[in-house]
Amino acid sequence: MPNVDTLRPTVPVHPSRILRREMKARGWLFADMLYRCPAMDTRHFLRLLWDKRAHLTPLDAAQLADGFGTSPEFWLNLQRQYDEAMAASEEKRQHDG
């Protein structure tokens, strides 16, 4: 049986996908999220929601943690796991290519 602490999704999941799922699960609209994260720039928040090239910063993580009642580490770990998966995928592509 695999160790659940080492399981990773087969397809890298960008933090924006988790962000959208969390908002949907809570029934929050974009305006609700801006209300909960008032310090976050609207355009930047839109990039975080929809642009896979957007990168969560420690400040973003702290603001999202406040809005969702999570920890900043939760959001930073999502970004780190995504970055690691993408780097591994690129390395494999170059090696196989």
Side-chain angles (χ1 to χ4, degrees):
M1 178 173 226
N3 180 346
V4 294
D5 293 330
T6 61
L7 291 177
R8 298 270 191 258
T10 56
V11 176
V13 177
H14 193 272
S16 64
R17 188 170 175 188
I18 305 300
L19 180 56
R20 290 190 305 271
R21 283 182 180 175
E22 283 298 312
M23 287 176 64
K24 184 177 180 179
R26 297 163 193 244
W28 293 354
L29 302 173
F30 182 69
D32 297 317
M33 197 60 219
L34 289 178
Y35 175 77
R36 287 169 172 78
C37 299
M40 190 171 284
D41 176 70
T42 304
R43 281 181 274 173
H44 181 64
F45 185 66
L46 280 171
R47 278 194 304 276
L48 290 177
L49 275 176
W50 300 108
D51 187 351
K52 283 190 174 186
R53 295 169 298 178
H55 191 87
L56 278 170
T57 66
L59 179 59
D60 298 332
Q63 291 172 340
L64 290 172
D66 286 345
F68 281 102
T70 61
S71 69
E73 290 78 19
F74 171 78
W75 298 102
L76 291 173
N77 283 335
L78 287 173
Q79 184 67 58
R80 180 188 51 77
Q81 289 172 4
Y82 177 78
D83 292 343
E84 288 174 356
M86 293 304 291
S89 176
E90 179 62 22
E91 185 176 306
K92 182 178 179 343
R93 188 186 66 76
Q94 288 180 357
H95 184 266
D96 293 346

